Structure formats: C-alpha cells, structure tokens
Amino acid sequence: MLELKHLCFEAETDDGVRQILKDVSLTVDERMVVITGPNGGGKTTLCHLLSRFWDVDAGQVTLGGHDVREYDMDSLMRNFSFVFQNVYLFHDTIANNICFGQPDAPIEQVIAAAKKARCHDFIMALPDGYDTIVGERGVGLSGGQKQRLSIARAVYRHPEILIFDDSFSALDFKTDRAVRDALEKEAKDSTKLIVAQRIGTIMNADRIIVLDDGKVVGQGTHEELLDTCEVYRQIAESQLSEDELKR
C-alpha cells in the first residue's frame, strides 16, 4: 500500500520557485487508481515523488508502512514499474527492449508480457518478429506501437505498483480499452496508478483522484465526482455528451 502524508514539493519554474504540491495526503490501495486534473496541477510531479525520482520537501511517502527513503534504490525499484508518455527504446531487439536488463529471459515470458500490452500481433508482423532491431527512438514504429512496447516492458517485471504517466494518450480508443482490460485481468495483483486526461481511461477506475493547483480537490468514482467535484465535471463535460453524462 502506498500512503502520502502531508506531501509538499516546490520547484523552479519560468515564473520562479513555485509550490507544486500542497499538503497532499492520500492512501492508494485499490487495484486501479486514476489521477486527473487540469494541466500544471501536479500529477506528474506526484508520480516522480512516489517512486523517489525526487524527494519531498515536507511530508512522507510510505510503501508497505515504510518511508521510501529507508529503501535502497534497487529495492525500491523492484516494487515499481513506470510507463511515461515519452518512450525511450534502445538500439536492440524488440525482445531485449521488453526484458531490459535480463538478456537471458525466456522468450515465453517476453511474449506473455507483449500479449498483455496488446503488441504481440504487430511484433509478429515485423520482418524478424521479436528479433527485429529498433533504433534508439523506435524508428519505424508508430507512437502507439512504441507506447505498447513500453507497457510490455513495465508489466514484464511483475511489479507491485505500475505507474502510467499519461501513457495511454498515444493509443487509439480501441487499443486503450484492450490494454486496460488486459491489465485488469492479467496484472490483477499489481496496483495500477494511472495519470490520464481521456475520460474513457478515467471513468471505470476503482477510485479517481482530482488534482488542481497542487491540491486534492476531489476523490471518488466517476458518478460520485460528477456530483461533488466541479473540476472533474468540467473535464467530463468537455469530452462527453449530455446523454453520456446522465448514464
């Protein structure tokens, strides 16, 4: 279980030093939690603090009841996998990009991860399948294909916590839903924390957390937040018709 206690963080911006997160307290123990809110609200910053890419200025992040600062980085990283919006692929085979750092990984496990991320079919259509070499920036692959490979890399490690930072935005709606369905069924033992703006990605989460100007302004299900959180309702109204909002 992840717990955030009175989290504060400030950073240098174009407008000078600004407090990005302001006294944020949360418990994350559901299987699928979505963080949403307006741009600049602190969503990505929160993800970086959870995994200790950065350290908090005040407050505490705990994993399993222990402050993340008590873990060495190797131990901490074994608990997390990350999928960011900007994907980096290495100049290596598709298979080695998925099982990065484990060159002797059984190909069956690599294929299983690829199937969860819904990229097995397009990999098999490549000239050399899983042995196809990709460039440092994934030359020859679409944005959605690179994103799915990044998701396969993350789920391959079977982490306790999967963090997706706007990682589904490059996927079309059909693939987005297929990947999320696969993660719900086949990575059911992992907590999935998803930063997203697309309402289709958001609305079926176990819990939705709304961040605005560095503060938590709403928590709950899609239906609850439509009634209780104006910021969330504005996000939903911008993407859904009136009939869809009433369902």
Side-chain angles (χ1 to χ4, degrees):
M1 181 176 71
L2 273 173
E3 191 170 5
L4 289 66
K5 302 177 181 178
H6 305 290
L7 213 65
C8 296
F9 183 78
E10 63 180 29
E12 186 73 39
T13 70
D14 293 339
D15 300 320
V17 176
R18 183 170 74 88
Q19 193 168 21
I20 308 298
L21 294 173
K22 306 169 184 177
D23 195 27
V24 173
S25 293
L26 292 169
T27 299
V28 179
D29 55 3
E30 295 92 344
R31 284 306 173 201
M32 185 168 290
V33 176
V34 169
I35 301 175
T36 193
N39 291 335
K43 302 182 295 296
T44 293
T45 298
L46 183 61
C47 289
H48 283 74
L49 294 173
L50 291 178
S51 52
R52 212 186 163 197
F53 284 0
W54 304 327
D55 275 333
V56 300
D57 292 326
Q60 188 180 39
V61 179
T62 65
L63 175 65
H66 298 281
D67 192 306
V68 294
R69 290 169 289 195
E70 297 175 9
Y71 292 83
D72 63 60
M73 288 307 293
D74 285 344
S75 297
L76 187 62
M77 288 302 101
R78 280 195 290 271
N79 290 285
F80 289 93
S81 277
F82 306 90
V83 184
F84 297 107
Q85 186 177 14
N86 297 319
V87 177
Y88 186 88
L89 296 179
F90 302 95
H91 185 64
D92 206 334
T93 65
I94 292 282
N96 285 341
N97 267 279
I98 292 173
C99 67
F100 174 68
Q102 301 181 47
D104 298 324
I107 189 61
E108 294 81 9
Q109 294 180 16
V110 173
I111 292 172
K115 288 181 176 178
K116 291 177 185 177
R118 295 299 188 261
C119 53
H120 175 72
D121 289 346
F122 86 73
I123 292 171
M124 294 306 295
L126 295 172
D128 297 307
Y130 283 85
D131 292 325
T132 300
I133 301 291
V134 295
E136 291 182 0
R137 296 187 180 276
V139 174
L141 300 179
S142 70
Q145 289 172 331
K146 289 185 283 186
Q147 196 61 266
R148 280 181 276 169
L149 285 177
S150 183
I151 293 169
R153 179 192 295 164
V155 301
Y156 173 82
R157 297 177 56 237
H158 304 292
E160 181 178 343
I161 299 164
L162 279 158
I163 297 179
F164 301 90
D165 185 8
D166 203 17
S167 310
F168 297 92
S169 59
L171 306 181
D172 61 67
F173 285 99
K174 183 178 179 181
T175 304
D176 176 337
R177 183 56 189 265
V179 170
R180 286 187 289 109
D181 284 349
L183 291 174
E184 288 176 24
K185 295 172 184 175
E186 300 172 53
K188 57 181 180 295
D189 294 330
S190 295
T191 294
K192 291 161 281 291
L193 186 64
I194 301 171
V195 172
Q197 292 289 96
R198 182 187 286 174
I199 200 70
T201 305
I202 297 168
M203 59 194 302
N204 294 316
D206 296 321
R207 180 158 55 111
I208 302 164
I209 298 164
V210 186
L211 277 182
D212 186 23
D213 192 29
K215 300 176 183 177
V216 176
V217 297
Q219 296 186 60
T221 64
H222 171 72
E223 290 78 12
E224 290 168 346
L225 289 170
L226 286 176
D227 292 331
T228 62
C229 181
E230 181 61 28
V231 173
Y232 184 79
R233 185 168 181 84
Q234 289 175 2
I235 293 171
E237 286 178 340
S238 70
Q239 300 180 51
L240 298 175
S241 69
E242 192 62 33
D243 287 342
E244 289 171 320
L245 285 169
K246 293 176 181 177
R247 289 175 187 172

